[in-house]
Amino acid sequence: MTSFEPIPSDFYGFENALSDQEKQTIVALREFLEAEVRPIMNDLWMNAEFFPRHIVTGLADLGLFGQPWEETRQFENSAVFRGWIALELARVDASVATLVGMQNGLVMGSIAVAGSPEQRAEWLPKFASGELLGAFGLTEPLSGSDTAQGLQTVAKRDGDNWIINGAKRWIGNGSISDVTIVWARDADDNQVKGFIVPTSTPGYSAKRIENKQALRIVQNADIVLTDVVVPESNRLQGSKSFRETAAVLRLTRAEVAWAAIGNSIGAYEAAVKYAGERIQFGKPIGSHQLIQELLAKSLGNITASIGLVTRVSAMLDEGTQRDEHSSLAKEYTTSRMRETVAWCRELFGGNGIVMDYGVVKYFADAEAIYSYEGTREMNTLIVGRAITGKAAFV
Ligand SMILES: Cc1cc2nc3c(=O)[nH]c(=O)nc-3n(C[C@H](O)[C@H](O)[C@H](O)COP(=O)(O)OP(=O)(O)OC[C@H]3O[C@@H](n4cnc5c(N)ncnc54)[C@H](O)[C@@H]3O)c2cc1C
């Protein structure tokens, strides 16, 4: 195995602070991504096809599903390390980062945060091994940013069972998952609760959203739930209100912030290479001052963002991270990502919109990362509430 080196776009060498075991995992992950994902990702993206199964099991073998949780982690590790995993994944492909973020964070996170010890013991290992592919069903056709108040999917208690009716939209890998975590409003107490729903349950149907122009490898789905019967043992026992849903999102939002930086780095690395190769006015475009400015501004965004997320993840380990902290990280890094991928695409001229040149995928995927797990506006309002003490959502 090759030895660990920080990537050149980690300009201040933040990644050097990881433990030796964490660095070894990063090296193995880089080798896996270069061998298995990079060669096929553009074709998958163009054809809107999901990763072949061996990619899912390969990610599981690397221990990427379940690193935060006691039942499934391969070794004790830090939130900063898990952030670097998200960054390294997205640096190659934002869809593979999204797959890991969903399985490890949103799905296993829901069970780890809101499940009973028995539910954790039963379900987490199955997701960690890749035996089960999960999806996280919160957003609905009529409720996106306002899910805390607006969720319309209803769960009605019926003896030892719950009967769920409603619809979900945008659910990542929802058309191919084995199990979907469905968040629904309890018809009796009006509180949002989480349910572990096997997708083979009668009444569950999912249809892929077609013609999506970002994160095309991720299979987003519209889901309809019609009298879906779920046993009480599949209700996340600790989920009593939207507070638990928000706790899951707080964990994953900070990791999306790391993935946004990885996506920026993917575009930046392609731009640095192109700047050295493309000749105009008799010399590589990288020798022109304005091209150097685009690269320097991009590296500035990346470096500032890494500094910010390093601290916000350390706060998670310290137990001091609050909603507004992860929201600021998501808002800041995704905004910087949007600038960075645009500058890097610009550097390619016309070739910047051709898939073969390796930058336009990062440019397009940035739009999905910018909007999912809380839009810029929602994360800004969460920070604004913390600053002023006044909620300005409505
Ligand atoms: C690729 C992708 C993957 C996704 N994966 C999942 C998934 O796996 N599971 C899941 O549950 N969801 C998923 N989502 C859904 C995602 O979280 C939502 O798209 C997001 O929360 C925004 O909701 P919306 O699209 O309904 O937009 P809307 O809520 O309709 O918002 C539209 C616009 O209005 C703005 N807005 C809304 N309210 C206010 C306000 N009060 N003040 C100012 N501006 C406001 C928003 O910021 C946005 O710009 C995914 C989305 C995408 C695009």
Side-chain angles (χ1 to χ4, degrees):
M1 189 183 283
T2 42
S3 60
F4 173 83
E5 291 286 342
I7 45 178
S9 28
D10 174 16
F11 203 47
Y12 291 174
F14 281 101
E15 207 173 2
N16 265 324
L18 296 179
S19 73
D20 287 344
Q21 203 163 22
E22 290 172 341
K23 285 178 184 163
Q24 271 172 26
T25 306
I26 296 279
V27 170
L29 172 60
R30 285 180 191 163
E31 288 178 354
F32 176 80
L33 292 172
E34 293 304 328
E36 305 292 344
V37 176
R38 199 183 288 280
I40 59 171
M41 64 188 188
N42 286 359
D43 283 345
L44 293 178
W45 198 96
M46 290 302 289
N47 297 327
E49 273 171 36
F50 190 60
F51 297 106
R53 195 72 197 184
H54 76 266
I55 303 272
V56 176
T57 44
L59 295 166
D61 292 345
L62 284 165
L64 300 197
F65 305 145
Q67 287 284 20
W69 322 117
E70 226 173 289
E71 291 87 345
T72 49
R73 69 183 172 210
Q74 295 191 339
F75 55 90
E76 249 188 80
N77 58 80
S78 63
V80 174
F81 162 70
R82 299 193 296 274
W84 274 105
I85 294 277
L87 182 150
E88 294 272 0
L89 287 159
R91 174 186 169 228
V92 175
D93 180 55
S95 292
V96 79
T98 302
L99 161 66
V100 173
M102 286 187 304
Q103 177 92 346
N104 184 52
L106 288 170
V107 174
M108 297 178 73
S110 297
I111 296 168
V113 166
S116 64
E118 295 73 26
Q119 288 175 322
R120 289 176 62 125
E122 179 184 350
W123 292 96
L124 292 180
K126 293 181 188 158
F127 290 108
S129 68
E131 177 192 335
L132 294 180
L133 187 67
F136 177 86
L138 176 64
T139 307
E140 302 187 344
L142 300 179
S143 179
S145 300
D146 70 351
T147 46
Q149 305 94 331
L151 215 64
Q152 294 184 9
T153 297
V154 169
K156 174 83 185 144
R157 183 83 189 245
D158 179 22
D160 286 341
N161 291 324
W162 293 81
I163 300 173
I164 305 180
N165 280 287
K168 297 286 169 186
R169 178 156 171 83
W170 281 119
I171 308 313
N173 297 334
S175 56
I176 52 171
S177 61
D178 302 296
V179 170
T180 297
I181 306 293
V182 173
W183 297 92
R185 199 170 288 287
D186 181 340
D188 293 327
D189 67 8
N190 214 28
Q191 297 296 326
V192 171
K193 296 176 182 169
F195 298 85
I196 304 169
V197 181
T199 56
S200 56
T201 312
Y204 179 105
S205 70
K207 190 167 171 291
R208 185 172 84 158
I209 297 174
E210 300 295 337
N211 304 325
K212 181 167 58 95
Q213 298 301 320
L215 289 183
R216 285 171 59 80
I217 302 175
V218 177
Q219 307 290 302
N220 289 93
D222 278 314
I223 293 174
V224 176
L225 303 135
T226 311
D227 291 333
V228 171
V229 179
V230 177
E232 161 63 8
S233 56
N234 277 25
R235 181 180 65 80
L236 293 172
Q237 297 293 306
S239 90
K240 298 187 166 49
S241 70
F242 195 81
R243 253 201 307 276
E244 287 74 39
T245 328
V248 179
L249 294 174
R250 183 167 64 239
L251 291 178
T252 53
R253 233 164 232 171
E255 283 186 17
V256 173
W258 282 90
I261 305 168
N263 192 61
S264 300
I265 290 177
Y268 168 79
E269 289 177 344
V272 171
K273 183 164 175 287
Y274 193 74
E277 292 167 355
R278 173 73 175 166
I279 309 288
Q280 286 295 287
F281 295 93
K283 51 187 178 181
I285 57 170
S287 8
H288 298 303
Q289 290 180 349
L290 295 179
I291 295 288
Q292 291 189 5
E293 190 215 17
L294 289 178
L295 294 173
K297 286 195 302 189
S298 298
L299 187 59
N301 273 353
I302 291 165
T303 308
S305 296
I306 295 176
L308 184 140
V309 292
T310 299
R311 179 63 199 140
V312 89
S313 289
M315 289 170 83
L316 181 66
D317 283 340
E318 290 167 10
T320 55
Q321 192 198 86
R322 294 193 302 271
D323 285 347
E324 57 268 28
H325 297 133
S326 59
S327 283
L328 182 65
K330 207 263 173 178
E331 187 283 321
Y332 182 85
T333 60
T334 55
S335 296
R336 299 293 77 72
M337 166 187 64
R338 223 178 178 202
E339 292 170 350
T340 306
V341 296
W343 291 332
C344 293
R345 196 224 59 75
E346 175 184 344
L347 185 148
F348 282 74
N351 288 337
I353 60 168
V354 180
M355 195 65 176
D356 308 358
Y357 286 85
V359 75
V360 71
K361 179 170 74 69
Y362 301 101
F363 179 80
D365 285 351
E367 289 304 297
I369 301 170
Y370 187 67
S371 288
Y372 71 34
E373 298 230 17
T375 60
R376 185 186 65 77
E377 289 83 358
M378 286 304 109
N379 283 307
T380 300
L381 292 175
I382 291 169
V383 178
R385 180 180 58 189
I387 297 169
T388 64
K390 298 180 196 335
F393 297 89
V394 284

PDB file of all heavy atoms in Angstrom, residues 211-237:
ATOM      1  N   ASN A 211     -34.765  12.378 -15.652  1.00  0.00           N
ATOM      2  CA  ASN A 211     -34.249  13.622 -16.264  1.00  0.00           C
ATOM      3  C   ASN A 211     -33.600  14.579 -15.280  1.00  0.00           C
ATOM      4  O   ASN A 211     -33.550  15.785 -15.514  1.00  0.00           O
ATOM      5  CB  ASN A 211     -35.363  14.348 -17.033  1.00  0.00           C
ATOM      6  CG  ASN A 211     -35.989  13.439 -18.074  1.00  0.00           C
ATOM      7  OD1 ASN A 211     -35.280  12.618 -18.676  1.00  0.00           O
ATOM      8  ND2 ASN A 211     -37.289  13.530 -18.282  1.00  0.00           N
ATOM      9  N   LYS A 212     -33.107  14.038 -14.172  1.00  0.00           N
ATOM     10  CA  LYS A 212     -32.394  14.865 -13.196  1.00  0.00           C
ATOM     11  C   LYS A 212     -31.017  15.213 -13.781  1.00  0.00           C
ATOM     12  O   LYS A 212     -30.372  14.347 -14.368  1.00  0.00           O
ATOM     13  CB  LYS A 212     -32.278  14.024 -11.910  1.00  0.00           C
ATOM     14  CG  LYS A 212     -31.603  14.688 -10.745  1.00  0.00           C
ATOM     15  CD  LYS A 212     -31.868  13.859  -9.489  1.00  0.00           C
ATOM     16  CE  LYS A 212     -31.382  12.440  -9.616  1.00  0.00           C
ATOM     17  NZ  LYS A 212     -30.065  12.162  -9.087  1.00  0.00           N
ATOM     18  N   GLN A 213     -30.567  16.437 -13.607  1.00  0.00           N
ATOM     19  CA  GLN A 213     -29.307  16.852 -14.239  1.00  0.00           C
ATOM     20  C   GLN A 213     -28.193  17.121 -13.236  1.00  0.00           C
ATOM     21  O   GLN A 213     -27.269  17.881 -13.499  1.00  0.00           O
ATOM     22  CB  GLN A 213     -29.561  18.087 -15.118  1.00  0.00           C
ATOM     23  CG  GLN A 213     -30.541  17.837 -16.252  1.00  0.00           C
ATOM     24  CD  GLN A 213     -30.099  16.719 -17.204  1.00  0.00           C
ATOM     25  OE1 GLN A 213     -28.925  16.609 -17.536  1.00  0.00           O
ATOM     26  NE2 GLN A 213     -31.030  15.876 -17.625  1.00  0.00           N
ATOM     27  N   ALA A 214     -28.292  16.520 -12.064  1.00  0.00           N
ATOM     28  CA  ALA A 214     -27.196  16.583 -11.090  1.00  0.00           C
ATOM     29  C   ALA A 214     -27.211  15.261 -10.332  1.00  0.00           C
ATOM     30  O   ALA A 214     -28.264  14.624 -10.231  1.00  0.00           O
ATOM     31  CB  ALA A 214     -27.393  17.741 -10.119  1.00  0.00           C
ATOM     32  N   LEU A 215     -26.045  14.856  -9.822  1.00  0.00           N
ATOM     33  CA  LEU A 215     -25.961  13.583  -9.081  1.00  0.00           C
ATOM     34  C   LEU A 215     -26.745  12.483  -9.791  1.00  0.00           C
ATOM     35  O   LEU A 215     -27.577  11.801  -9.178  1.00  0.00           O
ATOM     36  CB  LEU A 215     -26.501  13.736  -7.649  1.00  0.00           C
ATOM     37  CG  LEU A 215     -25.689  14.542  -6.654  1.00  0.00           C
ATOM     38  CD1 LEU A 215     -26.361  14.514  -5.294  1.00  0.00           C
ATOM     39  CD2 LEU A 215     -24.265  14.039  -6.529  1.00  0.00           C
ATOM     40  N   ARG A 216     -26.483  12.334 -11.077  1.00  0.00           N
ATOM     41  CA  ARG A 216     -27.322  11.435 -11.873  1.00  0.00           C
ATOM     42  C   ARG A 216     -27.153   9.961 -11.477  1.00  0.00           C
ATOM     43  O   ARG A 216     -28.001   9.132 -11.797  1.00  0.00           O
ATOM     44  CB  ARG A 216     -27.025  11.627 -13.367  1.00  0.00           C
ATOM     45  CG  ARG A 216     -27.618  12.911 -13.904  1.00  0.00           C
ATOM     46  CD  ARG A 216     -27.154  13.220 -15.318  1.00  0.00           C
ATOM     47  NE  ARG A 216     -27.467  12.196 -16.293  1.00  0.00           N
ATOM     48  CZ  ARG A 216     -28.650  12.021 -16.874  1.00  0.00           C
ATOM     49  NH1 ARG A 216     -29.653  12.839 -16.553  1.00  0.00           N
ATOM     50  NH2 ARG A 216     -28.840  11.078 -17.763  1.00  0.00           N
ATOM     51  N   ILE A 217     -26.060   9.638 -10.778  1.00  0.00           N
ATOM     52  CA  ILE A 217     -25.854   8.230 -10.383  1.00  0.00           C
ATOM     53  C   ILE A 217     -26.789   7.872  -9.207  1.00  0.00           C
ATOM     54  O   ILE A 217     -27.246   6.735  -9.082  1.00  0.00           O
ATOM     55  CB  ILE A 217     -24.368   7.979 -10.025  1.00  0.00           C
ATOM     56  CG1 ILE A 217     -23.484   8.344 -11.231  1.00  0.00           C
ATOM     57  CG2 ILE A 217     -24.142   6.527  -9.598  1.00  0.00           C
ATOM     58  CD1 ILE A 217     -21.987   8.268 -10.981  1.00  0.00           C
ATOM     59  N   VAL A 218     -27.068   8.857  -8.374  1.00  0.00           N
ATOM     60  CA  VAL A 218     -27.997   8.624  -7.255  1.00  0.00           C
ATOM     61  C   VAL A 218     -29.405   8.477  -7.825  1.00  0.00           C
ATOM     62  O   VAL A 218     -29.833   9.272  -8.651  1.00  0.00           O
ATOM     63  CB  VAL A 218     -27.947   9.804  -6.253  1.00  0.00           C
ATOM     64  CG1 VAL A 218     -28.960   9.597  -5.135  1.00  0.00           C
ATOM     65  CG2 VAL A 218     -26.543   9.965  -5.687  1.00  0.00           C
ATOM     66  N   GLN A 219     -30.103   7.459  -7.375  1.00  0.00           N
ATOM     67  CA  GLN A 219     -31.443   7.167  -7.906  1.00  0.00           C
ATOM     68  C   GLN A 219     -32.494   7.799  -6.987  1.00  0.00           C
ATOM     69  O   GLN A 219     -32.963   7.167  -6.033  1.00  0.00           O
ATOM     70  CB  GLN A 219     -31.646   5.645  -8.003  1.00  0.00           C
ATOM     71  CG  GLN A 219     -30.541   4.929  -8.763  1.00  0.00           C
ATOM     72  CD  GLN A 219     -30.549   5.210 -10.257  1.00  0.00           C
ATOM     73  OE1 GLN A 219     -31.531   4.956 -10.937  1.00  0.00           O
ATOM     74  NE2 GLN A 219     -29.445   5.742 -10.788  1.00  0.00           N
ATOM     75  N   ASN A 220     -32.828   9.049  -7.245  1.00  0.00           N
ATOM     76  CA  ASN A 220     -33.855   9.703  -6.415  1.00  0.00           C
ATOM     77  C   ASN A 220     -35.248   9.232  -6.820  1.00  0.00           C
ATOM     78  O   ASN A 220     -35.503   9.026  -8.001  1.00  0.00           O
ATOM     79  CB  ASN A 220     -33.750  11.218  -6.550  1.00  0.00           C
ATOM     80  CG  ASN A 220     -32.511  11.744  -5.864  1.00  0.00           C
ATOM     81  OD1 ASN A 220     -31.475  11.887  -6.495  1.00  0.00           O
ATOM     82  ND2 ASN A 220     -32.602  11.997  -4.587  1.00  0.00           N
ATOM     83  N   ALA A 221     -36.107   9.096  -5.824  1.00  0.00           N
ATOM     84  CA  ALA A 221     -37.406   8.486  -6.106  1.00  0.00           C
ATOM     85  C   ALA A 221     -38.566   9.276  -5.505  1.00  0.00           C
ATOM     86  O   ALA A 221     -38.436   9.938  -4.471  1.00  0.00           O
ATOM     87  CB  ALA A 221     -37.439   7.066  -5.557  1.00  0.00           C
ATOM     88  N   ASP A 222     -39.689   9.154  -6.193  1.00  0.00           N
ATOM     89  CA  ASP A 222     -40.991   9.510  -5.624  1.00  0.00           C
ATOM     90  C   ASP A 222     -41.544   8.240  -5.000  1.00  0.00           C
ATOM     91  O   ASP A 222     -41.590   7.189  -5.663  1.00  0.00           O
ATOM     92  CB  ASP A 222     -41.947   9.971  -6.732  1.00  0.00           C
ATOM     93  CG  ASP A 222     -41.726  11.416  -7.111  1.00  0.00           C
ATOM     94  OD1 ASP A 222     -41.607  12.255  -6.201  1.00  0.00           O
ATOM     95  OD2 ASP A 222     -41.671  11.707  -8.325  1.00  0.00           O
ATOM     96  N   ILE A 223     -41.989   8.319  -3.765  1.00  0.00           N
ATOM     97  CA  ILE A 223     -42.497   7.131  -3.070  1.00  0.00           C
ATOM     98  C   ILE A 223     -43.957   7.379  -2.678  1.00  0.00           C
ATOM     99  O   ILE A 223     -44.307   8.475  -2.230  1.00  0.00           O
ATOM    100  CB  ILE A 223     -41.649   6.842  -1.801  1.00  0.00           C
ATOM    101  CG1 ILE A 223     -40.228   6.438  -2.235  1.00  0.00           C
ATOM    102  CG2 ILE A 223     -42.279   5.759  -0.926  1.00  0.00           C
ATOM    103  CD1 ILE A 223     -39.267   6.269  -1.098  1.00  0.00           C
ATOM    104  N   VAL A 224     -44.763   6.343  -2.870  1.00  0.00           N
ATOM    105  CA  VAL A 224     -46.157   6.427  -2.406  1.00  0.00           C
ATOM    106  C   VAL A 224     -46.361   5.324  -1.370  1.00  0.00           C
ATOM    107  O   VAL A 224     -45.933   4.179  -1.575  1.00  0.00           O
ATOM    108  CB  VAL A 224     -47.145   6.266  -3.585  1.00  0.00           C
ATOM    109  CG1 VAL A 224     -48.586   6.248  -3.079  1.00  0.00           C
ATOM    110  CG2 VAL A 224     -46.954   7.390  -4.597  1.00  0.00           C
ATOM    111  N   LEU A 225     -46.965   5.692  -0.261  1.00  0.00           N
ATOM    112  CA  LEU A 225     -47.238   4.728   0.816  1.00  0.00           C
ATOM    113  C   LEU A 225     -48.755   4.621   0.973  1.00  0.00           C
ATOM    114  O   LEU A 225     -49.418   5.602   1.327  1.00  0.00           O
ATOM    115  CB  LEU A 225     -46.605   5.197   2.120  1.00  0.00           C
ATOM    116  CG  LEU A 225     -45.090   5.425   2.021  1.00  0.00           C
ATOM    117  CD1 LEU A 225     -44.685   6.719   2.685  1.00  0.00           C
ATOM    118  CD2 LEU A 225     -44.326   4.262   2.613  1.00  0.00           C
ATOM    119  N   THR A 226     -49.287   3.439   0.686  1.00  0.00           N
ATOM    120  CA  THR A 226     -50.736   3.243   0.760  1.00  0.00           C
ATOM    121  C   THR A 226     -51.046   2.112   1.737  1.00  0.00           C
ATOM    122  O   THR A 226     -50.736   0.953   1.461  1.00  0.00           O
ATOM    123  CB  THR A 226     -51.317   2.889  -0.631  1.00  0.00           C
ATOM    124  OG1 THR A 226     -50.829   3.822  -1.584  1.00  0.00           O
ATOM    125  CG2 THR A 226     -52.834   2.899  -0.625  1.00  0.00           C
ATOM    126  N   ASP A 227     -51.571   2.475   2.894  1.00  0.00           N
ATOM    127  CA  ASP A 227     -51.893   1.487   3.938  1.00  0.00           C
ATOM    128  C   ASP A 227     -50.722   0.532   4.189  1.00  0.00           C
ATOM    129  O   ASP A 227     -50.891  -0.694   4.241  1.00  0.00           O
ATOM    130  CB  ASP A 227     -53.150   0.692   3.534  1.00  0.00           C
ATOM    131  CG  ASP A 227     -54.400   1.567   3.558  1.00  0.00           C
ATOM    132  OD1 ASP A 227     -54.415   2.548   4.335  1.00  0.00           O
ATOM    133  OD2 ASP A 227     -55.339   1.276   2.786  1.00  0.00           O
ATOM    134  N   VAL A 228     -49.541   1.096   4.345  1.00  0.00           N
ATOM    135  CA  VAL A 228     -48.342   0.284   4.616  1.00  0.00           C
ATOM    136  C   VAL A 228     -48.359  -0.101   6.099  1.00  0.00           C
ATOM    137  O   VAL A 228     -48.395   0.767   6.973  1.00  0.00           O
ATOM    138  CB  VAL A 228     -47.070   1.083   4.263  1.00  0.00           C
ATOM    139  CG1 VAL A 228     -45.821   0.341   4.735  1.00  0.00           C
ATOM    140  CG2 VAL A 228     -47.018   1.338   2.763  1.00  0.00           C
ATOM    141  N   VAL A 229     -48.364  -1.400   6.357  1.00  0.00           N
ATOM    142  CA  VAL A 229     -48.452  -1.880   7.746  1.00  0.00           C
ATOM    143  C   VAL A 229     -47.039  -2.170   8.271  1.00  0.00           C
ATOM    144  O   VAL A 229     -46.289  -2.945   7.685  1.00  0.00           O
ATOM    145  CB  VAL A 229     -49.327  -3.160   7.830  1.00  0.00           C
ATOM    146  CG1 VAL A 229     -49.381  -3.663   9.273  1.00  0.00           C
ATOM    147  CG2 VAL A 229     -50.729  -2.874   7.292  1.00  0.00           C
ATOM    148  N   VAL A 230     -46.705  -1.494   9.372  1.00  0.00           N
ATOM    149  CA  VAL A 230     -45.371  -1.640   9.971  1.00  0.00           C
ATOM    150  C   VAL A 230     -45.553  -2.011  11.441  1.00  0.00           C
ATOM    151  O   VAL A 230     -46.330  -1.359  12.156  1.00  0.00           O
ATOM    152  CB  VAL A 230     -44.609  -0.294   9.858  1.00  0.00           C
ATOM    153  CG1 VAL A 230     -43.256  -0.383  10.531  1.00  0.00           C
ATOM    154  CG2 VAL A 230     -44.448   0.110   8.403  1.00  0.00           C
ATOM    155  N   PRO A 231     -44.871  -3.045  11.913  1.00  0.00           N
ATOM    156  CA  PRO A 231     -45.044  -3.403  13.335  1.00  0.00           C
ATOM    157  C   PRO A 231     -44.444  -2.343  14.267  1.00  0.00           C
ATOM    158  O   PRO A 231     -43.502  -1.647  13.888  1.00  0.00           O
ATOM    159  CB  PRO A 231     -44.271  -4.727  13.462  1.00  0.00           C
ATOM    160  CG  PRO A 231     -43.330  -4.757  12.303  1.00  0.00           C
ATOM    161  CD  PRO A 231     -43.949  -3.931  11.216  1.00  0.00           C
ATOM    162  N   GLU A 232     -44.993  -2.252  15.455  1.00  0.00           N
ATOM    163  CA  GLU A 232     -44.475  -1.301  16.451  1.00  0.00           C
ATOM    164  C   GLU A 232     -42.970  -1.528  16.678  1.00  0.00           C
ATOM    165  O   GLU A 232     -42.216  -0.591  16.926  1.00  0.00           O
ATOM    166  CB  GLU A 232     -45.270  -1.467  17.769  1.00  0.00           C
ATOM    167  CG  GLU A 232     -44.641  -0.925  19.039  1.00  0.00           C
ATOM    168  CD  GLU A 232     -44.419   0.591  19.058  1.00  0.00           C
ATOM    169  OE1 GLU A 232     -44.887   1.300  18.143  1.00  0.00           O
ATOM    170  OE2 GLU A 232     -43.718   1.051  19.991  1.00  0.00           O
ATOM    171  N   SER A 233     -42.521  -2.780  16.524  1.00  0.00           N
ATOM    172  CA  SER A 233     -41.091  -3.056  16.730  1.00  0.00           C
ATOM    173  C   SER A 233     -40.222  -2.372  15.665  1.00  0.00           C
ATOM    174  O   SER A 233     -39.015  -2.280  15.826  1.00  0.00           O
ATOM    175  CB  SER A 233     -40.837  -4.566  16.718  1.00  0.00           C
ATOM    176  OG  SER A 233     -41.318  -5.119  15.502  1.00  0.00           O
ATOM    177  N   ASN A 234     -40.844  -1.899  14.576  1.00  0.00           N
ATOM    178  CA  ASN A 234     -40.077  -1.169  13.560  1.00  0.00           C
ATOM    179  C   ASN A 234     -40.201   0.354  13.706  1.00  0.00           C
ATOM    180  O   ASN A 234     -39.666   1.089  12.894  1.00  0.00           O
ATOM    181  CB  ASN A 234     -40.527  -1.564  12.140  1.00  0.00           C
ATOM    182  CG  ASN A 234     -39.858  -2.835  11.680  1.00  0.00           C
ATOM    183  OD1 ASN A 234     -39.442  -3.649  12.501  1.00  0.00           O
ATOM    184  ND2 ASN A 234     -39.737  -3.019  10.385  1.00  0.00           N
ATOM    185  N   ARG A 235     -40.945   0.793  14.708  1.00  0.00           N
ATOM    186  CA  ARG A 235     -40.927   2.245  14.985  1.00  0.00           C
ATOM    187  C   ARG A 235     -39.650   2.541  15.764  1.00  0.00           C
ATOM    188  O   ARG A 235     -39.308   1.811  16.703  1.00  0.00           O
ATOM    189  CB  ARG A 235     -42.140   2.662  15.827  1.00  0.00           C
ATOM    190  CG  ARG A 235     -42.159   4.165  16.120  1.00  0.00           C
ATOM    191  CD  ARG A 235     -43.364   4.565  16.951  1.00  0.00           C
ATOM    192  NE  ARG A 235     -43.344   3.968  18.292  1.00  0.00           N
ATOM    193  CZ  ARG A 235     -42.631   4.428  19.320  1.00  0.00           C
ATOM    194  NH1 ARG A 235     -41.866   5.500  19.183  1.00  0.00           N
ATOM    195  NH2 ARG A 235     -42.661   3.827  20.503  1.00  0.00           N
ATOM    196  N   LEU A 236     -38.922   3.560  15.347  1.00  0.00           N
ATOM    197  CA  LEU A 236     -37.711   3.926  16.082  1.00  0.00           C
ATOM    198  C   LEU A 236     -38.131   4.324  17.501  1.00  0.00           C
ATOM    199  O   LEU A 236     -38.849   5.317  17.677  1.00  0.00           O
ATOM    200  CB  LEU A 236     -36.967   5.059  15.365  1.00  0.00           C
ATOM    201  CG  LEU A 236     -36.359   4.666  14.001  1.00  0.00           C
ATOM    202  CD1 LEU A 236     -35.825   5.899  13.275  1.00  0.00           C
ATOM    203  CD2 LEU A 236     -35.268   3.619  14.175  1.00  0.00           C
ATOM    204  N   GLN A 237     -37.709   3.520  18.453  1.00  0.00           N
ATOM    205  CA  GLN A 237     -38.306   3.627  19.787  1.00  0.00           C
ATOM    206  C   GLN A 237     -37.995   4.948  20.488  1.00  0.00           C
ATOM    207  O   GLN A 237     -38.749   5.394  21.347  1.00  0.00           O
ATOM    208  CB  GLN A 237     -37.861   2.438  20.650  1.00  0.00           C
ATOM    209  CG  GLN A 237     -38.340   1.081  20.108  1.00  0.00           C
ATOM    210  CD  GLN A 237     -39.862   0.913  20.183  1.00  0.00           C
ATOM    211  OE1 GLN A 237     -40.454   1.070  21.230  1.00  0.00           O
ATOM    212  NE2 GLN A 237     -40.486   0.621  19.041  1.00  0.00           N
TER     213      GLN A 237
END
